[in-house]
Amino acid sequence: MSAVLQTRNLVKKFGAFAATNDVTLNIEHGARHALIGPNGAGKTTLINLLTGFLEPTAGEVFLKGYNVTKLAQHQRVKRGLARTFQINRLFADMTVLESVTMAVCERLGFGWNWWRPVGRHVAAIDEAADLLASLRLIDVANEKTRNLAYGKQRLIEIALALAAKPQVLLLDEPAAGVPTGESRELFETIARLPHDVTILLIEHDMDLVFRFADRISVLVNGALLTEDTPEAIASDKRVKEVYLGEAIHG
Ligand code: ADP
Ligand code: MG
């Protein structure tokens, strides 16, 4: 067993309210790990603690055994932790290939004015094109990102995250707002990502979760209810009760 991402007794309080309540989690190298739980369970808060977007009230985060609790987001990215970007206006005016090339250049330390000596960046452009091909996006390489269907835009966000060559990729509801027809393609692409990239996925569609995950953690009221294989989670009475409760009250 080798955990690539771990938390130890993680707590996040907003005032007196604990959005994250003593969470100790181990994500194994190469895992397809899903984090599920009702609305408001604290899933996004936990992701924000993992990336460094939020500072924990107590507890620790380890990346490849190294304590990153005090590290800023970009320092965690450098150490191999990536989450999907939201596409901003700058990216919207660039083509898909330019956007991903820029993200590759970022990783290589070329900075933002990469386009000036184009010759230096042939390798980065090649790498970006390879990445787009692996995500079956090469046919839209020269489209402006803002002209793409929403499901494709979410794939570009994943491509941008992968350009950092992460060991761990965090996906918080990647198909949110994506039409059903497109979300299927999105998830097929996510399922094909190379297994040396560990994935922690938050997703509310249980069909997608059970097709994707080899490990599932269930979060309720900020605390871990259980963690197990999809088969064990599917037949866990406590998990059923949690979702039954949501169906009735939610
Ligand atoms: P999930 O992603 O599982 O739906 P969240 O992590 O977004 O849940 O939220 C967990 C709980 O923490 C919710 O009750 C939410 O209202 C609360 N919460 C999240 N962020 C904040 C914040 N910045 N300030 C106060 N409460 C917050
Ligand atoms: Mg959320």
Side-chain angles (χ1 to χ4, degrees):
M1 301 269 272
S2 64
V4 65
L5 184 62
Q6 296 169 285
T7 69
R8 194 183 290 158
N9 304 110
L10 209 56
V11 175
K12 180 63 187 179
K13 289 194 172 175
F14 296 112
F17 172 74
T20 306
N21 189 2
D22 200 28
V23 171
T24 296
L25 186 67
N26 291 301
I27 312 290
E28 297 299 321
H29 176 76
R32 295 292 181 258
H33 201 124
L35 181 63
I36 66 171
N39 232 336
K43 302 180 296 294
T44 296
T45 302
L46 184 56
I47 294 280
N48 286 335
L49 293 170
L50 293 172
T51 60
F53 181 76
L54 287 174
E55 210 180 303
T57 309
E60 289 153 323
V61 179
F62 295 87
L63 185 57
K64 293 177 277 174
Y66 185 88
N67 190 337
V68 297
T69 315
K70 301 285 180 206
L71 294 190
Q73 293 184 73
H74 71 275
Q75 292 171 303
R76 298 186 200 199
V77 172
K78 273 199 178 143
R79 288 183 170 272
L81 182 69
R83 79 185 306 172
T84 46
F85 288 67
Q86 291 295 322
I87 292 188
N88 58 35
R89 292 181 66 86
L90 177 70
F91 283 97
D93 279 330
M94 296 171 79
T95 70
V96 169
L97 182 61
E98 286 167 347
S99 303
V100 176
T101 301
M102 190 171 78
V104 172
C105 286
E106 276 277 287
R107 187 193 81 238
L108 297 172
F110 290 171
W112 291 92
N113 54 352
W114 60 273
W115 54 84
R116 283 187 190 134
V118 172
R120 269 184 68 201
H121 303 292
V122 168
I125 295 168
D126 281 352
E127 184 183 324
D130 284 349
L131 184 52
L132 288 173
S134 75
L135 297 173
R136 299 187 184 175
L137 287 169
I138 202 71
D139 54 326
V140 296
N142 294 316
E143 301 265 348
K144 289 195 171 175
T145 54
R146 66 150 170 249
N147 294 336
L148 299 179
Y150 197 54
K152 282 266 194 303
Q153 292 194 5
R154 303 309 298 256
L155 271 176
I156 305 301
E157 291 171 19
I158 292 171
L160 293 173
L162 290 174
K165 284 206 192 280
Q167 277 111 58
V168 186
L169 180 62
L170 308 177
L171 299 171
D172 189 353
E173 302 199 11
V178 175
T180 322
E182 289 182 56
S183 73
R184 193 193 168 87
E185 186 197 353
L186 182 60
F187 267 89
E188 280 169 3
T189 305
I190 292 171
R192 277 197 312 269
L193 293 177
H195 267 261
D196 56 345
V197 181
T198 305
I199 301 177
L200 178 61
L201 170 78
I202 297 177
E203 175 52 50
H204 65 268
D205 183 326
M206 286 305 135
D207 283 344
L208 292 176
V209 166
F210 280 95
R211 241 179 285 156
F212 169 83
D214 50 32
R215 200 78 193 160
I216 298 178
S217 294
V218 186
L219 204 61
V220 180
N221 296 327
L224 277 180
L225 176 70
T226 183
E227 188 210 304
D228 217 320
T229 60
E231 297 71 34
I233 294 293
S235 57
D236 189 314
K237 271 178 110 176
R238 296 165 303 166
V239 176
K240 273 185 199 147
E241 278 163 18
V242 165
Y243 279 95
L244 204 59
E246 193 186 39
I248 291 166
H249 302 296

